[in-house]
Amino acid sequence: MTIEAATGPRVDYSRVFSQAIDRLHAEGRYRVFIDILRNKGAFPNARCFAGHNGPKPITVWCSNDYLAMGQHPKVIAAMEEALHDVGAGSGGTRNIGGNTHYHVDLEAELADLHGKDAALLFTSGYVSNEATLATLAKVLPGCVIFSDELNHASMIAGIRNSGCEKRVWRHNDLAHLEELLAAEDPAVPKLIAFESVYSMDGDVASIAAICDLADQYNALTYCDEVHAVGMYGPRGGGISERDEVADRITILEGTLGKAFGVMGGYIAADRTIVDVIRSYAPGFIFTTSLSPVLVAGVLASVRHLKASSVERDGQQVAAARLKSMFTEAGLPVMDTVTHIVPLMVGDPVKAKKISDILLAEYGVYVQPINYPTVPRGTERLRFTPGPAHDEAMMRELTDALAEIWSRLELKKAA
């Protein structure tokens, strides 16, 4: 049988895709991934493969491995031991073959970290947010989710995929949140979704006040602590532990790929809620579980940071020092109360230019942060100094930025 081609206009698929990429180039927000390898045990030192002359030494200033736990001897030793004990992969989904004793132990440690009954591991923080929020709202018929306007893309995706009604409240504006809550039917299930530390602006949510509103209007609370777990609190339980409000939050979500230095995401909550997500969330049920090698590394990291504040204290000192140096140099550092140190640029092309010069001429690696990660016109460079960034590195960085700001005739701080 001969099949004849359809007549009429035909879609030029290659042209459509090329135009999509061309738009990003024209707007100055086409993303270029650096080709690097970190130097084991020597973070923030790394080597960059940027040309044909072999690797070039660089200093990394934008890693989310905030405490350099990905380089910690305990973490590496635990991963090596697990690799030689059980092999590389997990063997499948948690239901079929991927539920190892490492997974069980880590979930118990994470539940204990947050003072919750249970915890559940996911392959990433993105997946834990998307899967949990989407599933939770579907289990609660008629649920309305109240979402901070600066919530992470993974939270937005979960809310969208839930198919429920949503109300977006102005960032950290509790009066607006209460106005929206008060306007809703009291009989409707409600969930307030927010972050503890907002990673691009470096500000913090008023968790206790949000919980007060949740109590008043009979709402559940969902707090994303990905940029705070390991970083704050006596044992690294996050802002909720630091502020002694973890027991008031219905579901805490965190990552294992930032301060804990490895990979994965999780939620911690009441045992029944965790069981509901475990039993209903496609993003958990149908995906291969984390490799036990990774889980073993996280387990060592969580246990270490529960007992040690050295890394947290060193990171806070480093962040304060870099903010001070930037301020003294007249650089437009954004005022933050956390470990995030953003420099406002306000233009995607200029932000990329600064990043390129830093890497090519100074051996400094920091990625520009552009739309849609931040709103248009608020493009920035985001620095994450850690306990291993010493004062000499900070001075070299500050001097380099001051020179580039002058060279490009960029606006300095008022």
Side-chain angles (χ1 to χ4, degrees):
M1 182 176 68
T2 302
I3 299 177
E4 294 184 4
T7 59
R10 298 175 65 83
V11 177
D12 185 343
Y13 295 105
S14 294
R15 182 167 174 268
V16 172
F17 295 140
S18 294
Q19 286 177 336
I21 295 299
D22 289 343
R23 285 196 299 272
L24 295 178
H25 281 292
E27 294 171 13
R29 57 187 188 93
Y30 178 76
R31 297 169 190 253
V32 178
F33 297 160
I34 193 172
D35 183 357
I36 70 170
L37 290 172
R38 297 197 292 178
N39 299 331
K40 176 177 170 287
F43 187 79
N45 295 310
R47 51 203 190 273
C48 170
F49 296 81
H52 303 288
N53 298 321
K56 169 187 174 181
I58 62 170
T59 303
V60 178
W61 280 99
C62 56
S63 173
N64 283 339
D65 186 358
Y66 294 130
L67 304 179
M69 289 303 296
Q71 304 290 315
H72 198 283
K74 287 183 182 179
V75 174
I76 293 171
M79 295 178 75
E80 289 176 339
E81 181 181 348
L83 179 65
H84 293 292
D85 182 26
V86 300
S90 71
T93 65
R94 291 286 291 275
N95 181 56
I96 293 175
N99 190 65
T100 75
H101 190 62
Y102 289 105
H103 293 78
V104 174
D105 272 355
L106 179 54
E107 286 174 342
E109 287 285 350
L110 292 168
D112 172 76
L113 176 64
H114 296 293
K116 298 296 185 183
D117 292 340
L120 189 67
L121 290 174
F122 294 83
T123 50
S124 73
Y126 188 105
V127 175
S128 55
N129 269 336
E130 192 281 329
T132 303
L133 285 167
T135 301
L136 198 65
K138 286 178 180 176
V139 172
L140 293 167
C143 181
V144 177
I145 296 184
F146 299 80
S147 175
D148 186 288
E149 68 176 336
L150 293 190
N151 277 343
H152 190 263
S154 57
M155 300 176 74
I156 295 169
I159 295 168
R160 181 185 300 117
N161 292 340
S162 74
C164 70
E165 291 287 324
K166 71 173 180 179
R167 309 285 183 262
V168 178
W169 45 293
R170 291 187 293 271
H171 177 54
N172 275 347
D173 186 339
L174 299 191
H176 187 218
L177 172 59
E178 181 168 16
E179 178 185 325
L180 294 174
L181 286 165
E184 209 60 56
D185 182 348
V188 167
K190 304 173 188 67
L191 174 66
I192 304 172
F194 62 99
E195 300 182 37
S196 62
V197 172
Y198 290 85
S199 65
M200 292 302 131
D201 290 355
D203 56 347
V204 176
S206 300
I207 299 178
I210 291 173
C211 290
D212 288 343
L213 290 175
D215 291 344
Q216 182 179 348
Y217 292 94
N218 191 29
L220 302 178
T221 49
Y222 183 99
C223 180
D224 176 319
E225 286 253 50
V226 296
H227 291 278
V229 290
M231 302 292 292
Y232 300 91
R235 301 194 307 159
I239 298 294
S240 59
E241 184 193 25
R242 184 197 72 179
D243 294 353
E244 300 181 344
V245 291
D247 62 310
R248 302 186 63 191
I249 298 170
T250 311
I251 301 176
L252 281 160
E253 185 269 347
T255 183
L256 307 171
K258 293 183 171 64
F260 292 127
V262 189
M263 180 181 176
Y266 67 93
I267 59 167
D270 166 89
R271 191 173 303 279
T272 303
I273 291 176
V274 169
D275 200 18
V276 166
I277 304 305
R278 181 189 71 88
S279 302
Y280 283 90
F284 172 81
I285 296 170
F286 297 107
T287 190
T288 299
S289 67
L290 285 168
S291 162
V293 176
L294 297 172
V295 178
V298 176
L299 194 55
S301 182
V302 171
R303 286 171 173 167
H304 176 80
L305 289 175
K306 278 183 175 180
S308 172
S309 293
V310 172
E311 293 80 9
R312 284 189 286 278
D313 294 343
Q315 200 283 328
Q316 290 294 324
V317 169
R321 180 179 292 143
L322 188 63
K323 290 175 188 176
S324 177
M325 286 186 178
F326 282 177
T327 300
E328 290 173 7
L331 295 167
V333 59
M334 297 171 63
D335 185 26
T336 74
V337 295
T338 62
H339 57 283
I340 309 296
V341 185
L343 273 187
M344 180 59 67
V345 179
D347 179 272
V349 175
K350 290 177 181 177
K352 180 68 166 60
K353 181 68 173 176
I354 298 166
S355 173
D356 289 345
I357 294 174
L358 283 170
L359 184 63
E361 299 183 21
Y362 292 97
V364 166
Y365 173 50
V366 60
Q367 275 283 31
I369 307 296
N370 295 331
Y371 177 84
T373 306
V374 295
R376 297 180 194 273
T378 68
E379 293 81 7
R380 66 200 66 178
L381 301 176
R382 175 182 174 272
F383 297 87
T384 54
H389 288 94
D390 60 34
E391 190 169 353
M393 291 176 179
M394 294 185 192
R395 177 53 56 199
E396 291 174 1
L397 171 64
T398 304
D399 290 345
L401 285 165
E403 186 278 320
I404 296 169
W405 240 256
S406 178
R407 186 198 313 184
L408 301 182
E409 300 180 342
L410 298 171
K411 183 179 180 181
K412 288 202 168 186

